[in-house]
Amino acid sequence: MKSFEEIFEEWHNEFPFLKKYSPSTLYQKVGPFLMGLRFDKPWEEEYRIFLEMIPLWHTERRMFGKPCVYDELNYKNGLQAIIDYRRHDLMFKEALEAAQRQYGLVLTPEIPLNDLIEYLELESERGAYGSKYIRQLSRCSMFETQLAIATYLNKKEFYDDTWKHIMNESPKWDTEYFNRITERTVEERIEEMHSKFDNRDKFMETVEWNYQRPRVAKLNTGHIIRVDEYTEYIPKLSWREKIRSIFTKR
């Protein structure tokens, strides 16, 4: 049976552009965040995998290291990819294929901006677990991440489109649930996002300061590319939604 350290190294070999950040994480720097894989050990002799994005725009010490994206790996059938150490050699190929399918848009040294936006949109839906209440929190986190990317890239069109979506969606959020979970009103959360990104110089100074943290500085740097090809993301309808839309128009 392979040890966790051997399994960790085997995964690292598949994504050599990532570097070890901690005994259970492999990251790279990408624009205003760290991104990579976390290997979690929820039970003895079993592990599971998450793709994480760690914001570099927070100034509060207590906030650093808390992910804005925490995307658990699932197999094609939707089941969690929980791997037993004793069966790692048998399950590794399937798990790797699942990672490439689920994370392939962004788990690369060069990430096209449109692919990054599409991944964040898809992850926000996966992160909702079918619950409309959790979905609003997941969408709120996604919008903050998109605003950070737009601010970092100085991409006004993307920034404005994101705020348009925030203003369209936020009035539909369940304010009572939102307030209970976040201890803030929807309006306070929106104002908080605005204050984080309305001063780009201050934002960039914070990101650069976090880049100088010793463990962050040693990581490889990935890049967001094809920024000028940006187009507003349009969700792809499932076949059920397509049928529903046809009857709705009649």
Side-chain angles (χ1 to χ4, degrees), residues 237 242-250:
L237 297 178
K242 289 178 182 177
I243 293 174
R244 189 181 302 119
S245 68
I246 291 172
F247 286 101
T248 301
K249 291 176 183 177
R250 291 181 177 179

Side-chain angles (χ1 to χ4, degrees), residues 3-250:
S3 67
F4 176 80
E5 290 74 18
E6 291 172 322
I7 290 170
F8 183 88
E9 188 62 29
E10 193 165 348
W11 278 98
H12 193 185
N13 290 339
E14 296 293 334
F15 302 98
F17 54 91
L18 302 177
K19 292 190 72 174
K20 184 176 180 180
Y21 182 79
S22 75
S24 61
T25 55
L26 296 167
Y27 291 154
Q28 65 175 336
K29 301 187 290 281
V30 182
F33 50 81
L34 307 182
M35 187 191 70
L37 299 175
R38 172 179 294 278
F39 299 84
D40 183 48
K41 297 180 284 186
W43 302 283
E44 188 175 356
E45 297 183 356
E46 289 183 325
Y47 73 96
R48 57 184 178 173
I49 300 168
F50 295 83
L51 185 141
E52 288 189 331
M53 292 184 180
I54 306 296
L56 297 176
W57 59 87
H58 290 314
T59 55
E60 307 93 332
R61 182 185 298 271
R62 62 183 178 81
M63 292 295 294
F64 187 80
K66 293 186 177 181
C68 55
V69 169
Y70 194 61
D71 189 10
E72 184 172 5
L73 182 65
N74 297 314
Y75 291 124
K76 194 172 184 179
N77 59 9
L79 295 177
Q80 293 176 315
I82 299 176
I83 305 169
D84 190 305
Y85 291 11
R86 291 164 294 189
R87 299 186 63 205
H88 168 79
D89 288 344
L90 295 174
M91 302 174 71
F92 180 64
K93 181 179 178 182
E94 183 181 5
L96 181 59
E97 289 173 352
Q100 292 167 339
R101 180 172 56 250
Q102 187 169 325
Y103 306 147
L105 288 173
V106 295
L107 200 54
T108 172
E110 296 188 332
I111 309 169
L113 177 58
N114 285 338
D115 287 355
L116 178 55
I117 296 168
E118 181 176 354
Y119 170 77
L120 290 171
E121 291 276 354
L122 295 172
E123 189 280 330
S124 74
E125 296 297 331
R126 280 195 298 270
Y129 304 110
S131 166
K132 67 176 182 179
Y133 301 112
I134 298 176
R135 182 181 188 273
Q136 69 190 37
L137 300 178
S138 181
R139 296 288 288 176
C140 188
S141 179
M142 180 205 72
F143 286 137
E144 179 171 331
T145 304
Q146 289 186 341
L147 288 172
I149 296 167
T151 303
Y152 183 86
L153 298 174
N154 204 17
K155 190 69 175 175
K156 186 178 186 303
E157 184 182 1
F158 179 27
Y159 187 87
D160 291 343
D161 285 342
T162 301
W163 272 113
K164 179 180 70 177
H165 290 302
I166 292 171
M167 294 298 100
N168 287 340
E169 285 194 27
S170 58
K172 304 171 188 176
W173 292 347
D174 186 301
T175 55
E176 183 178 347
Y177 174 83
F178 194 97
N179 296 355
R180 185 170 69 251
I181 298 300
T182 68
E183 298 183 344
R184 285 166 291 182
T185 66
V186 172
E187 291 75 16
E188 287 171 341
R189 185 68 177 88
I190 291 173
E191 177 56 34
E192 180 185 61
M193 283 194 285
H194 185 270
S195 65
K196 286 180 180 179
F197 308 114
D198 65 343
N199 185 329
R200 185 172 184 270
D201 289 342
K202 182 178 178 181
F203 168 86
M204 295 298 288
E205 286 177 6
T206 301
V207 171
E208 182 57 35
W209 187 86
N210 281 317
Y211 262 48
Q212 303 309 314
R213 290 174 178 267
R215 286 200 296 166
V216 174
K218 72 177 184 179
L219 298 175
N220 293 333
T221 301
H223 301 280
I224 302 171
I225 62 171
R226 294 162 60 179
V227 174
D228 292 338
E229 298 176 19
Y230 164 76
T231 54
E232 188 174 4
Y233 178 74
I234 300 175
K236 299 178 179 64
L237 297 178
S238 68
W239 66 270
R240 288 189 180 87
E241 290 170 326
K242 289 178 182 177
I243 293 174
R244 189 181 302 119
S245 68
I246 291 172
F247 286 101
T248 301
K249 291 176 183 177
R250 291 181 177 179

